[in-house]
Amino acid sequence: MSGTATGPGNHTEGTQPVRLGLPVAQDEELDGAQVLRLAMRRAAAFLDGAGGLVHWRGPEPGRLRVVAACGQGVGSRTTLPKDGAFARAVRTGSFAWAAGSGTGSTVFGLAAVPLLSADGPIGALSVLTTTPGEPDSPHRASLQEVADWAALQLENGHGTAPEGQPAGAPPLIDSSLGRLLRTVPFRDWEFDVGSGSIAFGELIADPAGHGPRARADPADWLRIITDIRTAIALGAHYDTEYLLRQDDGTLSRARARGRLVPGKQGASDLVVGALWWAGRIPEPRSQQMQTLQSMREGLLTVSADWRTSFVNEEAERVLGMDHRLIGGVLWDGPVGAVPGLESVCRRAAQEGRPLSIALPWPSGRRRFRLRCVPARFSRGMAIHLVDVTNEDLQGAGGAAGGALREGGEVSGAARAAARSVRMEELTAALSEAVTSEDVVRVVAERVLPPLGADRLLVEVLGGDHLHIAGAAGYPEALRLAATEKRAIDLVAAQTLSTRTPRFLESTAEFIESFPQLSSLAAASTNNAWALLPLIASGRDIGCCFVAFSRSRSFPDDERTLLTALSGLVAQALERARLYDVEHTRAQELQRGLLPRSLPRLASVQAAARYLPAGHGAEVGGDWYDVIPLSADRVAMVIGDVMGHGITEAATMGRLRTAVRTLADLEIAPDELLDHLNDIVSDLGEDSYATCLYSVFDPVARTLTYSLAGHPPPLIAHPDGTLHSPDVDGDPPLGAANPPFSTHLLSLPEESLVVLWTDGLVESAARDIDQGLTELRRTLSEATTGMRYFSPSHEDGGHERLEDLCDRIVSALLPLQEHTKDDAALLIAHARCTAAHDIAARSLANDPRAAGQAREYVRQQLAVWELDDLVMTTELIVSEMVGNVIRHAKGPIALRLLRSRSLICEVYDGSLTTPRIRRAASTDEGGRGLHLIAALSRRWGARYLDDGKCIWAEQDLPIPGE
């Protein structure tokens, strides 16, 4: 009943290595270092290796030098098998193998193949294997295929072959650790902890022809030195990536790896390591374009014949243009209706100098300042658009402000126009405000600057109490002292009692109105106030305080404007209050339907994120769950009910409950989806849902899953390589015709299983293929060389999973991106059961089986030092086996698993279901299952293709008790 793990050196007959696609030069521009790094990762993935190495023939005869390495803790000083397999591979031009000691190390050998050119071997590609035994022929062929691909890329010009050490090597000894960072040679080095000196070894050549004189970015120095100091203090490895600046100003990345070597016989400790070039950084052209697109000022460019060549988002909004008009003549579009624009542009082009003008916009009551800037080295032009309406309305625009009397006083018509524009803009902005915080923000942005006000505070009624809804200009407004809060409440209460706005033009007027607050008013930096009651539909909403640092008067037009403003704000706050109530209820509903926390199990640690759509009630139909099963097996499920809202959330809750109920019966994934399909079909013809249900078996090291219109899982290996199975999924639930297909994946140790819904990778700004590419890139970068689970640091592993979730969500769904669909993400770290924690044997198909089982239990629990559980385990196993002998049929087998609990399993060839029944006092039998239930923490049965398994779990004894 126990399986045997297979690896590169121990393959079942007919097993073929998985073929991982390699890019070709025509499809992807790779430099030499990238070619070698990709080849090492693919080679290590083929053989389930710990890492890879590339050796290159140097200028000296018979010398090989390390030019690249990958894998956790792999570097030029990694302890390798004594027999130089890479040297034999170069010498013979064929596969070479060297077995390791296998003692105290996870590396069991080194497999090497030559890098072949037209002139013969030029180097070797090696893999550190983690499975005993020499790789078989198919895996050798796969390894050579990768090496041939890498050699071809280098020969075709994707990176220059390494050369010898250049002249002018740096000095061997330097007393400063910062010397290691300022001038970065690509070489081995040793740092003496006692003396603080650095000794450099031989130069490690770079296959991309990278020079040894690049300098580290000073901003990274402190972080790198801190990492090295931490490694010294903890005696651990470190792996740090940082920026290099070339002589030509371009940037690339370097990688520093190392470990602490304790000194012997009184000698100082050493930190030994190597520096590696990690690749060039592409030109930031796309970042520059993104910056121009997101500018708050409008920008468009035209060619010499006045055809538009670029329009950013703000210019599109102002001009009413879109990208389909790019290439057309500027005057033929909406901008042609702007009076005077064409003449200014032509004049700027003729005179060859920038010109600016403020013009009214034909689409509304806005005014814009246009700046036309001719290009210096071409006949094109850039045109900037800046909204100056508020500046003109405040009289700062001089004659360009429009409607000014002689002497500079604003006319009554201009004031009326200003009030109309402000109210129109404020009404539009408040109509889009959703929450109370949005309302306060709109008022602060749209009202304070034109009035010259400095501070804003809004209090709203909640029951019988006033609380602050938001503020601007008060750094600690939401943390006011008790006396200040009471003062604000007093002013608000008196203002609401009169329901009349109050305008206090000086501190003296404030003290006269509120004499009990004289001491606070004298100490305040405010010297004028507008106190506005907020009333909507005859109901008191709250109070709005607009404060000014200087004493000022309030003309009649401003009083009229602020009074009208208070009515708009009150109505907006009333709408926001209703939304806040609905939003709070929706969040409570969503939290109640999704898992409050994910279980931390022996074989799986998981972290998850749910992100509602960027509008509406913020609830939806996406869900996830992690469900513990028997024998440390774990079910992982993720699904998506089509649509988002309260109805979809309720449907999601029904499906999640059904999944947990069906999973507890331990039925197969395809059969479980059959039942879910019936449930969704009964909801109506317009109800659909996608789902992925998977079961991880830590003993068999497999992931069994079925799909219903859902993307397959993504598997991340510790070295950063990713595997996404290419399978045909079945239709969504509600539209499928069972049966569903079942798929099987083998999971190596330390794998991450990533499940997601389409809302994570698809948005209005990105299609699903682009999202999947970004997900794979982010996941690969984050997981390369990182161990997310350690038996001695489980909490730290869980924190790293949480950080990984945040990193993926930040990359795929940044805050500024509005999503139209809910998104769910589930990342699970799979930990396989060690071979020494598994014990199994077959039993006789007769009454002798019970005695054999008890004897085997005594022997195995003695090995596991679980003598305290011998008596109860013997009783449990005896009853299980006796039940099989009496009510079932063979073959019979026993399996014991040691995990966070002791798991006993008895297998037989019958499909009969064991059930506890109430035994009468005169019955001779019927009490066996009662005994099993009393002695174990939990027990049950699961069904297999050829029989069933009865299992029981017992808690392990606590050490020291």
Side-chain angles (χ1 to χ4, degrees):
M1 299 303 300
S2 61
T4 304
T6 61
N10 185 16
H11 296 279
T12 57
E13 186 175 355
T15 300
Q16 295 295 325
V18 179
R19 297 288 179 176
L20 302 178
L22 289 163
V24 295
Q26 295 90 329
D27 296 335
E28 202 170 340
E29 289 296 331
L30 302 175
D31 56 43
Q34 291 171 324
V35 167
L36 295 184
R37 185 165 60 251
L38 183 58
M40 288 184 295
R41 289 182 175 179
R42 292 298 185 264
F46 283 152
L47 301 185
D48 290 335
L53 296 163
V54 174
H55 288 76
W56 203 269
R57 269 188 165 172
E60 304 90 345
R63 295 292 300 275
L64 292 176
R65 295 181 178 182
V66 178
V67 295
C70 77
Q72 181 70 19
V74 179
S76 63
R77 294 182 180 269
T78 301
T79 301
L80 302 175
K82 294 182 179 179
D83 186 6
F86 42 83
R88 284 191 284 114
V90 174
R91 187 171 61 251
T92 63
S94 60
F95 173 84
W97 162 258
S101 64
T103 302
S105 172
T106 58
V107 176
F108 285 88
L110 187 139
V113 292
L115 294 168
L116 300 173
S117 69
D119 300 326
I122 55 177
L125 172 64
S126 309
V127 175
L128 301 174
T129 63
T130 58
T131 306
E134 182 175 347
D136 55 17
S137 297
H139 286 80
R140 295 183 190 180
S142 298
L143 188 59
Q144 186 62 60
E145 181 182 346
V146 177
D148 293 342
W149 173 84
L152 178 64
Q153 299 302 306
L154 295 174
E155 191 172 3
N156 288 341
H158 293 271
T160 307
E163 298 180 358
Q165 178 174 343
L172 294 180
I173 302 296
D174 192 300
S175 60
S176 171
L177 186 59
R179 174 69 179 85
L180 177 66
L181 310 174
R182 296 186 181 94
T183 301
V184 184
F186 294 86
R187 60 178 65 234
D188 293 342
W189 58 276
E190 291 184 355
F191 173 67
D192 190 302
V193 178
S195 65
S197 64
I198 294 177
F200 292 97
E202 288 191 41
L203 180 73
I204 300 173
D206 171 48
H210 187 276
R213 293 294 180 179
R215 294 183 178 273
D217 193 308
D220 286 339
W221 290 356
L222 181 59
R223 177 173 57 83
I224 304 168
I225 293 177
T226 301
D227 288 348
I228 296 175
R229 297 289 190 194
T230 302
I232 294 174
L234 300 179
H237 289 79
Y238 71 91
D239 189 341
T240 303
E241 189 170 289
Y242 56 98
L243 292 180
L244 292 175
R245 188 171 299 279
Q246 316 296 332
D247 292 338
D248 60 0
T250 60
L251 294 176
S252 61
R253 292 187 178 92
R255 198 164 195 166
R257 294 179 176 177
R259 60 188 176 88
L260 180 69
V261 177
K264 296 182 179 179
Q265 299 178 354
S268 299
D269 293 343
L270 297 177
V271 178
V272 297
L275 302 182
W276 311 88
W277 185 53
R280 296 187 181 91
I281 297 178
E283 292 293 330
R285 185 175 184 85
S286 60
Q287 299 177 5
Q288 297 171 357
M289 294 301 294
Q290 184 177 2
T291 301
L292 294 176
Q293 279 287 359
S294 60
M295 287 174 56
R296 299 186 66 178
E297 297 180 359
L299 173 67
L300 65 153
T301 59
V302 294
S303 59
D305 55 356
W306 304 105
R307 295 184 180 274
T308 57
S309 55
F310 173 80
V311 183
N312 74 353
E313 296 175 358
E314 177 64 13
E316 286 183 0
R317 185 188 67 80
V318 174
L319 300 175
M321 300 175 64
D322 58 44
H323 289 295
R324 291 174 297 180
L325 297 180
I326 290 182
V329 176
L330 182 64
W331 327 120
D332 294 342
V335 74
V338 180
L341 174 62
E342 182 176 359
S343 61
V344 173
C345 292
R346 293 188 182 278
R347 179 183 168 192
Q350 181 179 1
E351 297 179 4
R353 64 185 181 90
L355 291 179
S356 299
I357 187 173
L359 297 171
W361 215 249
S363 59
R365 300 176 180 178
R366 310 298 302 169
R367 294 180 65 84
F368 282 83
R369 180 181 296 117
L370 276 72
R371 181 173 174 81
C372 304
V373 183
R376 296 180 61 184
F377 303 108
S378 66
R379 298 176 61 191
M381 179 177 294
I383 302 174
H384 299 262
L385 306 171
V386 182
D387 191 335
V388 294
T389 305
N390 290 335
E391 297 178 13
D392 289 345
L393 291 175
Q394 293 181 61
L404 293 180
R405 293 181 178 177
E406 294 183 6
E409 294 182 357
V410 181
S411 68
R415 289 185 181 275
R419 285 197 304 271
S420 178
V421 170
R422 290 177 188 170
M423 295 300 293
E424 179 182 333
E425 290 182 345
L426 185 61
T427 302
L430 287 176
S431 67
E432 298 178 357
V434 177
T435 66
S436 300
E437 290 80 1
D438 293 339
V439 174
V440 175
R441 176 181 52 79
V442 168
V443 176
E445 292 176 353
R446 301 279 181 173
V447 176
L448 297 191
L451 293 175
D454 300 289
R455 298 170 187 87
L456 170 73
L457 191 142
V458 177
E459 279 208 318
V460 296
L461 278 169
D464 297 331
H465 303 282
L466 285 162
H467 67 273
I468 297 175
Y474 294 92
E476 300 294 332
L478 301 182
R479 300 179 183 178
L480 295 174
T483 54
E484 295 175 329
K485 181 64 170 64
R486 285 195 295 270
I488 293 174
D489 292 347
L490 174 63
V491 174
Q494 290 194 18
T495 303
L496 283 173
S497 65
T498 62
R499 290 194 163 196
T500 303
R502 305 181 70 173
F503 301 95
L504 308 177
E505 300 180 347
S506 65
T507 302
E509 285 192 27
F510 185 92
I511 295 175
E512 182 180 351
S513 300
F514 305 98
Q516 65 272 48
L517 302 178
S518 58
S519 58
L520 286 176
S524 173
T525 57
N526 299 326
N527 288 283
W529 296 263
L531 310 179
L532 309 174
L534 303 177
I535 303 170
S537 303
R539 194 172 72 87
D540 293 342
I541 302 297
C543 189
C544 178
F545 303 84
V546 181
F548 304 81
S549 296
R550 297 182 179 181
S551 301
R552 71 188 302 277
S553 61
F554 292 92
D556 291 341
D557 59 338
E558 282 191 355
R559 297 189 178 212
T560 302
L561 178 66
L562 288 170
T563 302
L565 162 70
S566 66
L568 292 176
V569 174
Q571 294 175 5
L573 284 174
E574 177 67 5
R575 293 193 303 269
R577 183 187 66 83
L578 297 176
Y579 171 83
D580 290 340
V581 171
E582 181 184 3
H583 175 67
T584 302
R585 291 175 179 171
Q587 285 187 322
E588 291 175 353
L589 172 64
Q590 193 75 59
R591 284 194 296 266
L593 294 176
L594 290 174
R596 293 186 179 273
S597 62
L598 296 177
R600 299 189 184 184
L601 307 173
S603 57
V604 163
Q605 278 196 351
R609 293 291 184 273
Y610 170 77
L611 297 98
H615 61 279
E618 294 201 7
V619 293
D622 290 19
W623 92 93
Y624 56 85
D625 212 344
V626 175
I627 308 168
L629 305 177
S630 62
D632 276 351
R633 296 156 58 253
V634 179
M636 294 172 285
V637 59
I638 193 167
D640 180 6
V641 177
M642 303 302 179
H644 49 268
I646 299 296
T647 302
E648 286 73 16
T651 301
M652 175 268 286
R654 296 176 63 181
L655 292 181
R656 178 172 172 252
T657 301
V659 168
R660 292 193 70 91
T661 302
L662 294 170
D664 193 52
L665 299 176
E666 303 214 42
I667 61 178
D670 57 335
E671 185 179 351
L672 185 142
L673 291 187
D674 287 348
H675 292 289
L676 287 186
N677 186 65
D678 294 338
I679 294 174
V680 176
S681 298
D682 291 341
L683 297 177
E685 295 182 355
D686 57 346
S687 295
Y688 302 99
T690 68
C691 185
L692 185 159
Y693 180 80
S694 62
V695 176
F696 169 61
D697 188 335
V699 177
R701 303 191 175 197
T702 58
L703 183 75
T704 307
Y705 65 95
S706 292
L707 304 170
H710 206 88
L714 184 61
I715 310 301
H717 297 255
D719 61 356
T721 57
L722 304 177
H723 174 54
S724 181
D726 185 10
V727 297
D728 295 329
D730 291 293
L733 302 174
N737 292 317
F740 291 87
S741 301
T742 302
H743 311 281
L744 183 67
L745 278 177
S746 295
L747 294 186
E749 187 73 25
E750 298 292 336
S751 295
L752 292 181
V753 180
V754 182
L755 311 178
W756 71 95
T757 59
D758 57 357
L760 181 70
V761 297
E762 189 176 18
S763 67
R766 179 180 58 233
D767 61 35
I768 191 169
D769 291 332
Q770 293 173 327
L772 287 174
T773 300
E774 180 66 16
L775 173 62
R776 294 174 64 90
R777 182 194 66 79
T778 304
L779 190 60
S780 179
E781 290 179 355
T783 56
T784 300
M786 173 64 73
R787 294 176 61 88
Y788 279 87
F789 192 97
S790 173
S792 58
H793 297 87
E794 294 187 10
D795 291 339
H798 184 264
E799 291 175 0
R800 287 193 290 272
L801 285 178
E802 294 287 348
D803 293 341
L804 180 58
C805 283
D806 292 337
R807 180 168 178 175
I808 291 176
V809 169
S810 298
L812 293 170
L813 297 176
L815 294 178
Q816 66 269 21
E817 182 176 306
H818 296 288
T819 59
K820 294 184 178 180
D821 195 7
D822 310 310
L825 171 67
L826 174 64
I827 302 179
H829 188 283
R831 181 186 178 194
C832 300
T833 304
H836 57 77
D837 288 328
I838 307 170
R841 67 155 294 173
S842 59
L843 302 175
N845 192 17
D846 55 47
R848 293 176 300 166
Q852 294 173 351
R854 288 192 296 270
E855 181 181 1
Y856 188 71
V857 164
R858 288 192 296 270
Q859 294 174 355
Q860 188 59 46
L861 295 191
V863 174
W864 286 342
E865 298 180 352
L866 296 176
D867 300 297
D868 292 343
L869 296 179
V870 170
M871 181 177 296
T872 56
T873 307
E874 282 185 318
L875 287 173
I876 291 173
V877 170
S878 292
E879 292 298 333
M880 286 182 173
V881 174
N883 193 66
V884 172
I885 295 297
R886 184 171 182 178
H887 301 289
K889 63 180 181 179
I892 309 173
L894 170 67
R895 185 170 75 170
L896 303 176
L897 303 177
R898 181 179 60 171
S899 179
R900 293 181 181 176
S901 60
L902 177 63
I903 304 170
C904 304
E905 297 179 323
V906 173
Y907 294 80
D908 64 61
S910 171
L911 295 176
T912 57
T913 302
R915 291 187 177 91
I916 293 181
R917 64 184 181 87
R918 184 179 297 276
S921 59
T922 57
D923 291 342
E924 296 182 358
R927 298 174 179 83
L929 294 180
H930 285 279
L931 182 61
I932 293 174
L935 295 176
S936 60
R937 183 178 66 183
R938 62 176 189 146
W939 73 280
R942 66 176 182 271
Y943 295 91
L944 313 172
D945 294 336
D946 54 353
K948 69 175 181 298
C949 168
I950 306 175
W951 55 269
E953 292 184 8
Q954 301 176 79
D955 291 323
L956 295 181
I958 300 175
E961 291 190 358

